Amino acid sequence: MIALLLAAVATGSLQAPLGVAHTLMPVPASLVWQVGRLRLDSSFSVRVAGSRRDDRLARGVERFLRRAGSATGLLLGRGAGGLALSVAGPGQRVQSPEEDESYTLEVTPGGASLQAPTTVGALRGLETVLQLIDSDSAGWYLPSVRIADRPRFPWRGLLIDVGRHFEPPEVIRRQLDGMAAVKLNVLHWHLSEDQGFRVESRRYPRLQRFGSDGLYYTQAEIREIVAYARDRGIRVVPEFDMPGHSTAWFVGYPAYSSGPGPYTIERHFGVFVPTFDPTRAETYQFLEGFIAEMAALFPDPYWHIGGDEVEGSQWRTNPRIRAFMRVHRLDNNGALQAYFNRRLSAILTRHGKRMVGWDEILHPDLPPTTVVQSWRGQNSLVEGAKRGYRGILSAGWYLDAMRTAEFHYLVDPLAEGNELEPDAASRILGGEACMWAEHVTPESIDSRIWPRLAAIAERLWSPRDVRDVPDMYRRLAVMRGRLEALGLGHEGHTGRMARRLADGHDASVLIGLLELVEPVRFSERSSLQRLVQQTPLVFAVDAARPDPPMQWNARKAARAALLPDDRATAARHGLDSSFVSWAALAPALDSLGAEVPLVRDAIPAARALARVAAIGREALGQLGRGPAPPEWIK
Ligand code: ACM
């Protein structure tokens, strides 16, 4: 450590984390601390170099000043000093994975300078400046630093499923605000499902009229959201899932399905029978008409066709489809789906779109320009890349699996020691977290996405060797607050919803419990509770949030309790009093549950926690007594 200090003195620079435990998230590609501080006061402003007008940049600077102002209480933007912003050009007219998102930032006591080749790079840099704002006894400041930053992967996304449960435009907009704050750049918008078709089509209005329960985005709303995303350097990739997961299409247009119909909107969750008919010319005419209309709404060069979980029985049992397969030498459903995908890909190419699909579409006949999204495991990502396909990873990043931020953080599309040659590795574009919405509503969505997503965003942006879990949690705790300041509701969610469940009674016991436990995983909830689409999602499990901060704190305390020095004593005392308070929750919740029906679901969790607390207390007792007897361990 002395050697490190001397080296830092010799070069005049301090490498993080020595000297400064920063709270940047994602961590920049390169960062060197300098000496001194740039004072932030009401004279601080942003000066944009050059005469060319860039409205997107101007709006970004406006938002930056507003957010810096609300972080500091300063009325900013009226002075002459501060941040010099220099942007070489606006970047791509339609953002693609090739967009240059790099920037360099230098802060000295005399001023700050942010340089970027594109507007998107400048937006990324402005987010970093906001995260650098700090305070000391003299007031607000930016620490002196030199940052040269660029993303590790060009495709860094969040999938939001609005098919199973609809999310209104304002909910989507606030997710976009959060995504920009953690430097994500793709909203993958899952717009059609068995349970709902969510976009207004003027050409085929029976889609939304019969397939949406009235819950869909108008074309004006779609345009507005796409523009809102572009303003934040975020692409919008639409997904219209086919040939399966498509019941809602056929309520209004049964003729394009492989069965006789009629159809109704599916209310259960799972994998269902209705499937597009890939054998009829009319199906492709319909899809081409639809894609032509939607291509004008969604400017992104990529288009997601879904392609997952084709149930297949309509294809197996329809004599006309079986005859078609014989004539075209399509030996099985996989071959028929590959035929469908080839025809879809040709339509998409005519409309300037490149095809993306889930990993089921990997097939020898898949067009080489296709991007494959791996959800069933990382193997398909590797397999696809070896066979020449570009790929994005989602396996390990399903937010409905209710895993910890740590679990998601350590998933890597290109882990150390991966088996890919450099050429194949370069085809891995990045990845996407997935917010599937069987159990998600506008009320709970923020609590499911944020802020575990910041950990995934860091994996996709920062260098591979940034993977220190305790440091991630330390920064995440700060990031959670920043995201809340943007209008996301994850921090207040549990308390707010628990008060509602408690129906006027004192909710503190329920809140105390829900701060300690997490929602059951997707599959467990599905089997425990027979949910349909209209089931109100107002249970204790909905009020709980994944990876509650108390969990990491408890893990940290347990580790400290095992240290071979004095720190262990304090940690053991702290843990012991936690265990005592955990055990007290169960009888208190029993009393509350006797009066309030919606609280009763939480009682088994409270009892299990009391049991854990009892075991924990015994274990602490054993620690002082040497090796525990085998009977006790059992
Ligand atoms: C999927 O989860 N079926 C993509």
Side-chain angles (χ1 to χ4, degrees), residues 245 308-309 358 360 375 398 436:
H245 283 287
D308 56 323
E309 298 181 313
W358 298 106
E360 284 96 326
W375 74 278
Y398 270 32
W436 298 109

Side-chain angles (χ1 to χ4, degrees), residues 147-194:
I147 290 175
D149 202 8
R150 59 177 59 247
R152 180 177 168 211
F153 293 106
W155 191 306
R156 308 179 308 280
L158 170 66
L159 173 149
I160 300 180
D161 166 15
V162 295
R164 293 175 175 95
H165 281 104
F166 183 68
E167 299 290 347
E170 69 270 18
V171 176
I172 302 298
R173 280 195 294 271
R174 69 178 191 247
Q175 309 313 316
L176 289 165
D177 288 337
M179 288 170 68
V182 295
K183 299 185 171 64
L184 290 174
N185 68 358
V186 179
L187 170 65
H188 172 163
W189 210 354
H190 184 85
L191 287 162
S192 67
E193 254 307 333
D194 296 303

